[in-house]
């Protein structure tokens, strides 16, 4: 479960924040470093929970492909104006990190973007009801 969770949180955090595919992100000057930092933060939380993440080799292959069209389903949800699972995927990791006194600044920025998106989505939904 943790292998999937660290990968999903990394991909969702990166693609939702940047509104781009993984290939587009890693093709930028600092994109690979950004994605690697997200992954390291997620893995640090897993490690603090007593889990050894075993998907690092696969992650390295994914993040080296500048042609990758991978985009998290959460990013596609955003593009379609739908709800996301940000609280469950990113928020819970951040809460666990805080419990272990682990800093997750990059993950927190990605989560903040998703919180803004959800608040804006609710405002639009509320305005539509009031019309």
């Amino acid at each position: 479960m943790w292998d999937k969770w660290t990968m999903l949180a990394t991909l969702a955090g990166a693609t939702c924040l940047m509104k781009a595919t993984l290939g587009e992100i890693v093709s930028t000057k600092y994109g690979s470093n950004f994605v690697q930092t997200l992954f390291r933060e997620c893995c640090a939380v897993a490690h603090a929970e007593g889990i050894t993440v075993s998907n690092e080799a696969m992650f390295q292959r994914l993040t080296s492909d500048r042609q990758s069209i991978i985009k998290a389903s959460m990013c596609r949800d955003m593009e379609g104006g739908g709800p996301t699972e940000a609280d469950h995927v990113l928020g819970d990791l951040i809460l666990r990190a805080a419990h272990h006194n682990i800093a997750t600044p990059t993950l927190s920025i990605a989560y903040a973007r998703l919180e803004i998106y959800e608040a804006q989505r609710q405002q639009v939904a509320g305005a539509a009801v009031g019309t």
Side-chain angles (χ1 to χ4, degrees), residues 13-14 17-18 33-41 90 94 103-112:
L17 181 61
M18 298 298 174
N33 185 51
F34 162 68
V35 177
Q36 293 289 339
T37 299
L38 267 174
F39 185 66
R40 283 193 302 271
E41 289 178 11
L90 301 173
I94 292 168
T104 55
T106 311
L107 190 61
S108 296
I109 291 167
Y111 183 62

Side-chain angles (χ1 to χ4, degrees), residues 2 40-50 93 96-97 100 102 104:
W2 278 92
R40 283 193 302 271
E41 289 178 11
C42 294
C43 289
V45 177
H47 181 72
E49 292 280 319
L93 271 176
R96 289 171 187 256
H100 294 290
I102 297 171
T104 55

Side-chain angles (χ1 to χ4, degrees), residues 3-131:
D3 283 344
K4 182 177 180 178
W5 194 5
T6 55
M7 183 71 74
L8 175 59
T10 301
L11 294 176
T15 60
C16 289
L17 181 61
M18 298 298 174
K19 294 184 179 181
T21 65
L22 188 58
E24 291 168 326
I25 296 167
V26 300
S27 292
T28 67
K29 187 173 184 178
Y30 300 107
S32 288
N33 185 51
F34 162 68
V35 177
Q36 293 289 339
T37 299
L38 267 174
F39 185 66
R40 283 193 302 271
E41 289 178 11
C42 294
C43 289
V45 177
H47 181 72
E49 292 280 319
I51 306 297
T52 301
V53 176
S54 62
N55 61 350
E56 191 163 340
M58 180 177 73
F59 184 78
Q60 296 301 327
R61 283 192 306 276
L62 285 174
T63 57
S64 64
D65 181 4
R66 292 174 170 234
Q67 304 302 313
S68 174
I69 59 169
I70 292 174
K71 187 183 285 187
S73 61
M74 194 178 304
C75 185
R76 295 186 199 288
D77 293 340
M78 285 178 68
E79 292 171 342
T84 68
E85 296 180 342
D87 290 336
H88 302 293
V89 177
L90 301 173
D92 191 66
L93 271 176
I94 292 168
L95 289 175
R96 289 171 187 256
H99 175 76
H100 294 290
N101 294 315
I102 297 171
T104 55
T106 311
L107 190 61
S108 296
I109 291 167
Y111 183 62
R113 172 63 193 111
L114 285 156
E115 286 183 305
I116 291 166
Y117 164 76
E118 289 292 350
Q120 291 170 335
R121 197 174 74 74
Q122 293 300 320
Q123 287 174 346
V124 168
V129 170
T131 57

